[in-house]
Amino acid sequence: MQQRVVAALERMGDVLGELGRRFADAGEEIALVGGPVRDAMLGRLQQDLDLTTSARPEVTERLLKGWADAIWDVGRAFGTIGCRKGPWQVEITTYRSEAYDRTSRKPTVEYGDTLAGDLGRRDFTVNSMALVLGPDGVGEPHLEDPFGGLVDLAQRTLRTPGAPEDSFSDDPLRMMRAARFAAQLGFEVDPDVVAAMTDMAQRVSIVSAERVREELVKLVCAPEPRRGLLLLVRTGLASYVLPELPALALERDEHHRHKDVYEHTLTVLEQSIDLEDRLPEGGPDFVCRFAALMHDIGKPRTRRFLDDGSVTFHHHDVVGAKLTRKRMQALKFSGDVTDAVSTLVELHLRFHGYGSGEWTDSAVRRYVRDAGPLLPWLHVLTRADCTTRNARKAARLRRTYDDLEARIERLAEQEELEAVRPDLDGNQIMEILGIGPGREVGEAYRFLLEHRLDHGPVDPEQAERVLRDWWASRGEQP
């Protein structure tokens, strides 16, 4: 661990050395703190540096001028001044303490006077360590670790510097951060911390949707999201931030007439992660992972037990897509991300109509058209959704989907399938039919698009005959 720290400090030497000199010359203290110290000990290299200082924000800003390549102060209200120096993104925050009012969504910020006081108000002991900078940077590492973070790091344990109840009262979002760090670092959460999370889960409801969303994204994109999600469900936090997930756990019935939907969902998530190398930019990919997590959330609403003892979930794809959109809107996700995830949820069952290859070329075209640019993500989700323990059945499903993908590729080469459009554009439609812009042009366009999907591309003369026949069947004269 010491070797890792030394190697990390060598990488950061130039930027930390100059910051140490500037702040020391001004009579101020400054220290590398939190995540960068923890990650240096874990051998996780990064370009973002967090520092804490005795200097007030206006002093920090003055000391950075003439040295930093760019400076920003969007965090000034919280005592933070940010800057960029070469490849490094640096945030310097004044010693502080912050606490929530019982009914407030935002912390009140008070500046502190000591490094120890600043470390004591941080979320977990592994983030409550600091490397103090002197006039020559760090030099021989001077580690401040008043709460035993080094030991907890070695033991891969998440503990709070003080009583977890006090920490979570100060900022309830820290309960979600515990789950996120468990997923990111693979650490165990101290039993006292888990107990406090369970007792105080409802308190997370005062935190803004935007802050909850950011923690959820980081958790889902972590190396081990299952670990964090299980903790959210176990402590009851999921009931407030993602209630659709624990609802799946209720879907196990005493007669075992269908698979455990909750466990199936977590397995689909893990299998989708294993397939992320099929995506255009690889992973971690939030859209892919969140679609896997949400794909079956319509099942609790659609479960029906039949007289013969079987169970159905008819239309759970459509219901799930609506519930996904509603949840993501509540969490203030962007429209594009919400549309992408909910579309994947709605389409995730489409493949099962393929059978053993009975789809016509028209059906394949519609599959591609409906998926649009999300087709690679739909491929991953559909493949990941196979969790059967029957090896022969799993192999058959893989072969069948291989066949569908091969057909898509062949049609794409022949027909530019990803950009399917009618064989005539709007201007041509108006010229042939002798009409101006209006509703009829849109209807004609949609008719030609359906014809294109059913029959593939045709030449302009044939497209014109098809259009005129359709127009005449409506009782219209071109």
Side-chain angles (χ1 to χ4, degrees):
M1 193 175 291
Q2 185 177 12
Q3 290 175 345
R4 292 171 184 164
V5 173
V6 170
L9 293 178
E10 288 178 354
R11 286 182 65 244
M12 303 181 239
D14 290 343
V15 65
L16 294 182
E18 184 60 27
L19 285 172
R21 282 188 290 274
R22 284 174 173 263
F23 279 75
D25 290 347
E28 302 287 357
E29 300 172 349
I30 188 168
L32 186 70
V33 71
V37 177
R38 177 200 70 224
D39 288 345
M41 294 177 175
L42 293 173
R44 292 157 47 101
L45 303 180
Q46 58 173 299
Q47 299 297 119
D48 296 340
L49 302 181
D50 294 329
L51 296 103
T52 186
T53 180
S54 59
R56 295 299 190 257
E58 61 275 11
V59 175
T60 296
E61 189 172 22
R62 174 172 56 81
L63 294 175
L64 293 177
K65 286 182 178 178
W67 173 76
D69 299 328
I71 300 174
W72 53 89
D73 67 350
V74 292
R76 181 184 291 273
F78 299 98
T80 300
I81 302 295
C83 74
R84 177 176 54 81
K85 179 64 174 178
W88 302 98
Q89 300 287 331
V90 180
E91 287 193 348
I92 304 176
T93 303
T94 303
Y95 297 157
R96 68 186 188 190
S97 60
E98 58 188 33
Y100 271 85
D101 180 84
R102 281 288 170 182
T103 59
S104 173
R105 288 179 177 267
K106 297 181 179 180
T108 57
V109 176
E110 296 181 1
Y111 294 135
D113 298 317
T114 66
L115 175 59
D118 182 87
L119 296 178
R121 63 109 193 151
R122 293 179 178 267
D123 51 8
F124 303 104
T125 60
V126 295
N127 297 327
S128 298
M129 297 181 286
L131 288 167
V132 180
L133 308 187
D136 298 318
V138 177
E140 287 296 321
H142 174 196
L143 178 68
E144 288 288 332
D145 180 22
F147 303 102
L150 191 60
V151 173
D152 287 339
L153 195 67
Q155 295 179 345
R156 304 177 67 80
T157 299
L158 288 174
R159 275 192 317 111
T160 53
E165 294 81 4
D166 294 338
S167 181
F168 299 153
S169 181
D170 286 345
D171 186 351
L173 191 69
R174 290 173 175 172
M175 294 185 285
M176 284 201 67
R177 286 169 64 86
R180 189 250 291 185
F181 282 127
Q184 281 186 332
L185 304 175
F187 284 14
E188 295 294 330
V189 182
D190 181 81
D192 289 343
V193 173
V194 173
M197 292 169 65
T198 304
D199 291 342
M200 302 178 66
Q202 188 274 339
R203 184 118 169 88
V204 78
S205 60
I206 74 165
V207 180
S208 69
E210 292 83 356
R211 294 184 74 209
V212 169
R213 179 196 66 218
E214 291 307 309
E215 285 300 322
L216 187 61
V217 169
K218 292 175 182 177
L219 189 160
V220 170
C221 291
E224 299 182 53
R226 173 192 281 261
R227 183 187 291 266
L229 293 168
L230 288 173
L231 184 60
L232 290 182
V233 173
R234 173 186 172 191
T235 58
L237 279 163
S239 297
Y240 298 97
V241 300
L242 195 64
E244 295 79 8
L245 184 59
L248 295 176
L250 301 178
E251 283 306 288
R252 286 173 286 187
D253 67 280
E254 67 275 14
H255 301 295
H256 303 288
R257 285 175 286 189
H258 62 82
K259 69 179 70 175
D260 179 344
V261 182
Y262 175 61
E263 184 62 31
H264 164 76
T265 295
L266 295 178
T267 300
V268 172
L269 170 60
E270 291 180 321
Q271 293 186 166
S272 72
I273 293 172
D274 292 338
L275 295 170
E276 282 180 332
D277 58 355
R278 291 172 171 262
L279 297 177
E281 297 184 9
D285 186 280
F286 175 77
V287 167
C288 184
R289 296 184 183 197
F290 204 60
L293 191 62
M294 304 294 278
H295 80 283
D296 272 350
I297 65 168
K299 283 190 170 180
R301 295 278 187 93
T302 59
R303 182 175 64 169
R304 298 291 182 272
F305 292 109
L306 304 184
D307 293 340
D308 63 3
S310 61
V311 62
T312 65
F313 301 98
H314 292 315
H315 307 303
H316 78 266
D317 47 346
V318 176
V319 172
K322 292 178 180 178
L323 293 173
T324 296
R325 183 175 296 278
K326 183 177 180 181
R327 176 55 50 201
M328 295 186 73
Q329 289 172 342
L331 289 170
K332 309 295 185 183
F333 278 96
S334 70
D336 289 345
V337 174
T338 300
D339 289 344
V341 175
S342 57
T343 297
L344 290 170
V345 172
E346 185 170 359
L347 294 177
H348 82 274
L349 286 183
R350 186 75 61 86
F351 161 72
H352 294 285
Y354 188 71
S356 57
E358 290 85 358
W359 275 3
T360 62
D361 285 351
S362 171
V364 175
R365 293 186 192 102
R366 281 183 165 79
Y367 188 76
V368 175
R369 188 271 308 269
D370 292 345
L374 293 171
L375 185 60
W377 285 261
L378 183 58
H379 287 333
V380 168
L381 177 59
T382 303
R383 288 181 179 276
D385 195 23
C386 174
T387 60
T388 178
R389 295 180 181 178
N390 185 319
R392 294 179 63 183
K393 181 179 179 182
R396 176 171 52 80
L397 286 170
R398 284 195 298 271
R399 288 194 302 269
T400 304
Y401 206 83
D402 287 343
D403 178 68
L404 174 57
E405 286 199 45
R407 287 184 65 186
I408 290 172
E409 289 181 9
R410 288 195 299 270
L411 284 173
E413 291 174 359
Q414 297 167 7
E415 306 178 13
E416 297 182 359
L417 202 56
E418 292 181 359
V420 170
R421 289 178 174 80
D423 297 292
L424 300 173
D425 64 24
N427 290 327
Q428 291 170 309
I429 291 171
M430 289 188 289
E431 181 179 350
I432 292 168
L433 300 182
I435 60 176
R439 175 175 55 83
E440 292 88 352
V441 178
E443 292 176 357
Y445 187 92
R446 288 189 290 274
F447 164 75
L448 288 175
L449 177 58
E450 290 300 315
H451 188 275
R452 169 74 167 78
L453 291 168
D454 285 335
H455 304 287
V458 297
D459 60 49
E461 292 78 11
Q462 186 177 351
E464 181 176 341
R465 287 196 300 273
V466 169
L467 176 63
R468 289 181 182 277
D469 289 345
W470 171 79
W471 187 251
S473 72
R474 292 164 48 98
E476 306 283 357
Q477 293 297 321

